Amino acid sequence: MQNTSKGDLFVSSNTKSIFCIGIILLIQSFASGFPKVYIATKITPFVHIADGSFKISYSVNGILLVAAIFILFLGVFFKKAVEIAQENELTI
């Protein structure tokens, strides 16, 4: 995003950066529950419950998921803006 400080907002490198951030957040939203599930599966064989049940649940981080989707949509808008900016540069 060094282009932003130079005044070049709608360039393809910024668009690629936005998409990368969105994909990383999307992966993180699903992966955030893995450590809890991993630890629970390792502890489960050592837990003995006589009359109850033991349940392992997995959840997705909803806030990160929404943020990732928003940033990916923002990337789509930036991609279109880059196309329009390049088109305007060719127009006399």
Side-chain angles (χ1 to χ4, degrees):
M1 293 271 189
Q2 294 175 356
N3 296 322
T4 307
S5 62
K6 294 177 186 175
D8 296 330
L9 184 61
F10 299 113
V11 292
S12 61
S13 62
N14 287 350
T15 304
K16 289 178 186 175
S17 297
I18 290 172
F19 276 118
C20 285
I21 292 169
I23 289 171
I24 289 169
L25 284 177
L26 186 65
I27 291 169
Q28 181 62 32
S29 71
F30 287 103
S32 63
F34 287 154
K36 289 185 255 177
V37 171
Y38 178 76
I39 292 170
T41 57
K42 294 297 180 188
I43 293 174
T44 302
F46 302 109
V47 175
H48 300 288
I49 299 174
D51 294 330
S53 64
F54 191 78
K55 181 176 158 182
I56 297 173
S57 64
Y58 174 78
S59 63
V60 175
N61 189 333
I63 295 172
L64 278 180
L65 181 64
V66 171
I69 292 170
F70 175 75
I71 290 175
L72 288 172
F73 277 127
L74 185 66
V76 170
F77 292 129
F78 258 77
K79 185 175 181 179
K80 185 64 177 173
V82 167
E83 292 173 5
I84 292 171
Q86 289 174 347
E87 206 174 282
N88 286 342
E89 288 176 3
L90 298 175
T91 305
I92 298 177

